[in-house]
Amino acid sequence: MEANKKTTIVLFSGDYDKAMAAFIIANGAAAYDHDVTIFFTFWGLNTLRKDGSAPTNKGMLERMFGWMMPRGANKLGLSKMHMAGMGPKMIKHVIRKHNALTLPQLIELAQEQGVKLVACTMTMDLLGLRREELIEDLELGGVATYLGEASDGNVNLFI
Amino acid sequence: MEANKKTTIVLFSGDYDKAMAAFIIANGAAAYDHDVTIFFTFWGLNTLRKDGSAPTNKGMLERMFGWMMPRGANKLGLSKMHMAGMGPKMIKHVIRKHNALTLPQLIELAQEQGVKLVACTMTMDLLGLRREELIEDLELGGVATYLGEASDGNVNLFI
Amino acid sequence: MEANKKTTIVLFSGDYDKAMAAFIIANGAAAYDHDVTIFFTFWGLNTLRKDGSAPTNKGMLERMFGWMMPRGANKLGLSKMHMAGMGPKMIKHVIRKHNALTLPQLIELAQEQGVKLVACTMTMDLLGLRREELIEDLELGGVATYLGEASDGNVNLFI
């Protein structure tokens, strides 16, 4: 029996549009029976934040990062035409108008299709993000986890 | 007979410099007999817009996107040092000075070398771009088209 | 004997955080015995600039690029939350606090591990960067050099 093809994506960016592109490719690949893994690193981790209050036993700098970074997929900005938040509203409007999926829906679909979501532990350390601030059904991992998957990957992307 | 090697590029970005990098790699790969495909998605589609007037039977939001986005390769900004348009002028100046190719020339060369240019239909829907607003000799396709090519690709990049 | 796996990275971006990500992946891959090459093109080349004075026999435009672009890894800005330079300071602070490696240290480690660093000659021409303005132990190359490596690569990324 032939092994499934493999797609891996490093999601470095914390932009709504880039995260959408990552999840559209991931969901497409999963639909074609690829084993798919998305590694969330640096600002990409904000995609996975829950929209709740954070633990209070954080250092000052960690709290500052926590305040300044968007809390979850629905709060991300755009890479272009952000226009003080008007751009993301317009994009979400046209997504609904065309019955396309919003980013939170794309994430849910990915989880249903068995796309593996891996949060970068080094970034969590640096930015002071705790496991309980992130959504459920994640794995934690580092660059070794990533390379283990990517070195057998058919499609490897950095977004 | 051995199959050609394959290079695929997702051009997500609408920046002049990133589009240049994409086309330089694509043209290089084509010169080395790779089968090359570039998928234009999100802001990358602006690279392919014609510089003319758009159809008038568009909705308000589609017209707004149309007005705000650059009309074609020669109107794109830079990812860094845009400096109110001075950056792109400087880059184009040094390109001419060094007898290098401008972005419109790189696109023409790619088409002559048989690089396949695919416009993302989902983006066209979302941003309200019509086929007749884009340059000739394009194919239209979605994430399935992309994955079909990329899963056999030797070099797959997201730019 | 089996050949080593191969990782290639195009570093297009001149952002501190993206360069960190590139070098973390490169160092990880080298630790797992991959042959690793990083191609520095466009703004990515600023990562390799020395922090000294430049040759004076440059044209006006080349001098302008020289003045405006950051001189070396330690001067790069962030892709997000630059906040007039406060972002990079915060990142460097948390890096030290967590005993992680700064970008200049990551570059040194890469060179010790035999990661091949290749400066894009076309970019050097366009932006007027001379060999003597860049750090030691580099190779020079173009798109052909890149494609030669990448077409056999297991992991190919554009950052």
Side-chain angles (χ1 to χ4, degrees):
Chain A
M1 205 186 103
E2 220 186 334
N4 286 346
K5 295 210 169 188
K6 205 177 234 184
T7 291
T8 77
I9 295 172
V10 177
L11 184 58
F12 172 95
S13 163
D15 299 320
Y16 193 94
D17 43 351
K18 288 196 167 177
M20 266 188 79
F23 275 95
I24 288 168
I25 294 170
N27 281 319
Y32 287 97
D33 289 326
H34 286 215
D35 292 334
V36 186
T37 311
I38 310 181
F39 294 85
F40 297 83
T41 187
F42 283 81
W43 321 111
L45 258 183
N46 290 325
T47 318
L48 304 179
R49 286 180 79 190
K50 283 192 292 206
D51 187 9
S53 58
T56 51
N57 58 341
K58 284 190 173 189
M60 190 57 199
L61 207 60
E62 294 177 335
R63 269 193 252 179
M64 278 185 67
F65 275 117
W67 288 328
M68 293 182 311
M69 297 187 307
R71 289 183 189 275
N74 204 35
K75 303 288 175 63
L76 303 180
L78 290 184
S79 67
K80 286 275 156 190
M81 308 214 302
H82 188 75
M83 301 179 297
M86 204 179 104
K89 283 211 186 85
M90 280 174 67
I91 291 286
K92 288 171 198 171
H93 185 90
V94 291
I95 289 171
R96 273 191 296 270
K97 192 183 143 198
H98 290 277
N99 286 314
L101 298 180
T102 61
L103 183 54
Q105 292 170 326
L106 287 167
I107 297 173
E108 218 182 298
L109 177 60
Q111 291 186 309
E112 281 170 23
Q113 289 200 99
V115 171
K116 210 195 295 180
L117 308 182
V118 183
C120 168
T121 47
M122 190 207 74
T123 307
M124 291 172 66
D125 271 5
L126 283 185
L127 301 185
L129 289 169
R130 311 288 169 82
R131 177 65 191 86
E132 63 266 31
E133 296 177 70
L134 305 178
I135 62 173
E136 311 303 320
D137 296 320
L138 293 180
E139 298 182 22
L140 305 184
V143 68
T145 315
Y146 168 64
L147 286 163
E149 304 275 356
S151 56
D152 298 326
N154 298 81
V155 183
N156 297 318
L157 302 173
F158 184 100
I159 296 184
Chain B
M1 206 187 100
E2 218 186 336
N4 286 345
K5 294 210 170 188
K6 206 176 233 183
T7 291
T8 77
I9 295 173
V10 178
L11 184 58
F12 172 95
S13 163
D15 299 319
Y16 193 94
D17 44 350
K18 288 197 166 175
M20 265 188 80
F23 275 95
I24 288 168
I25 294 171
N27 281 319
Y32 287 98
D33 289 326
H34 285 214
D35 292 333
V36 186
T37 310
I38 311 181
F39 293 85
F40 297 83
T41 187
F42 283 80
W43 320 110
L45 258 185
N46 291 324
T47 318
L48 303 180
R49 286 179 81 190
K50 283 191 292 208
D51 187 9
S53 58
T56 50
N57 58 341
K58 284 190 173 189
M60 191 58 200
L61 207 61
E62 294 177 335
R63 270 193 251 180
M64 278 185 68
F65 275 117
W67 290 327
M68 293 182 310
M69 297 188 306
R71 289 183 189 276
N74 202 36
K75 303 286 176 60
L76 303 179
L78 288 183
S79 67
K80 287 275 157 192
M81 306 212 303
H82 188 75
M83 301 179 296
M86 203 177 104
K89 283 213 188 81
M90 282 174 67
I91 291 285
K92 287 171 199 172
H93 185 91
V94 293
I95 288 171
R96 274 190 295 270
K97 191 182 144 198
H98 290 277
N99 286 314
L101 299 181
T102 61
L103 181 54
Q105 291 170 325
L106 287 166
I107 296 173
E108 217 182 298
L109 177 60
Q111 291 186 310
E112 280 169 24
Q113 289 199 100
V115 171
K116 210 195 296 181
L117 308 182
V118 183
C120 168
T121 47
M122 191 206 74
T123 307
M124 290 172 68
D125 271 4
L126 283 185
L127 302 185
L129 288 169
R130 311 288 170 83
R131 177 65 190 86
E132 63 266 30
E133 295 177 71
L134 305 178
I135 62 173
E136 311 304 320
D137 297 320
L138 293 179
E139 298 182 22
L140 305 184
V143 69
T145 316
Y146 167 65
L147 286 164
E149 304 275 355
S151 56
D152 298 324
N154 298 82
V155 182
N156 297 318
L157 303 172
F158 184 99
I159 297 184
Chain C
M1 206 187 103
E2 219 186 335
N4 286 345
K5 294 211 172 189
K6 204 175 236 184
T7 291
T8 77
I9 295 172
V10 177
L11 184 58
F12 172 96
S13 163
D15 299 320
Y16 193 94
D17 43 350
K18 288 197 166 175
M20 267 188 78
F23 275 95
I24 289 168
I25 294 171
N27 281 319
Y32 286 97
D33 289 326
H34 285 215
D35 292 333
V36 186
T37 310
I38 311 181
F39 294 83
F40 297 82
T41 187
F42 282 80
W43 322 110
L45 259 183
N46 290 324
T47 318
L48 302 180
R49 285 180 81 190
K50 283 193 292 209
D51 187 8
S53 57
T56 50
N57 58 342
K58 285 191 174 188
M60 191 56 200
L61 206 62
E62 295 178 332
R63 269 193 252 179
M64 278 184 68
F65 274 118
W67 289 328
M68 293 182 310
M69 297 188 306
R71 289 182 189 276
N74 203 36
K75 304 287 176 60
L76 303 179
L78 289 183
S79 66
K80 287 274 156 192
M81 306 214 303
H82 188 76
M83 302 178 297
M86 204 177 103
K89 284 212 186 83
M90 282 174 66
I91 290 285
K92 288 172 199 173
H93 185 91
V94 293
I95 289 171
R96 274 190 296 269
K97 191 182 144 197
H98 290 277
N99 286 315
L101 298 181
T102 60
L103 182 54
Q105 292 170 326
L106 286 167
I107 296 173
E108 217 182 300
L109 178 59
Q111 291 186 308
E112 281 170 23
Q113 289 199 100
V115 171
K116 210 195 295 182
L117 308 182
V118 182
C120 168
T121 46
M122 191 207 72
T123 307
M124 291 172 67
D125 272 4
L126 283 185
L127 302 184
L129 289 169
R130 312 287 170 84
R131 177 64 192 87
E132 63 266 30
E133 296 177 71
L134 305 177
I135 63 174
E136 311 303 321
D137 296 322
L138 293 180
E139 299 181 22
L140 304 185
V143 69
T145 315
Y146 167 65
L147 285 164
E149 304 275 356
S151 55
D152 298 325
N154 298 82
V155 182
N156 297 318
L157 303 172
F158 184 100
I159 297 184

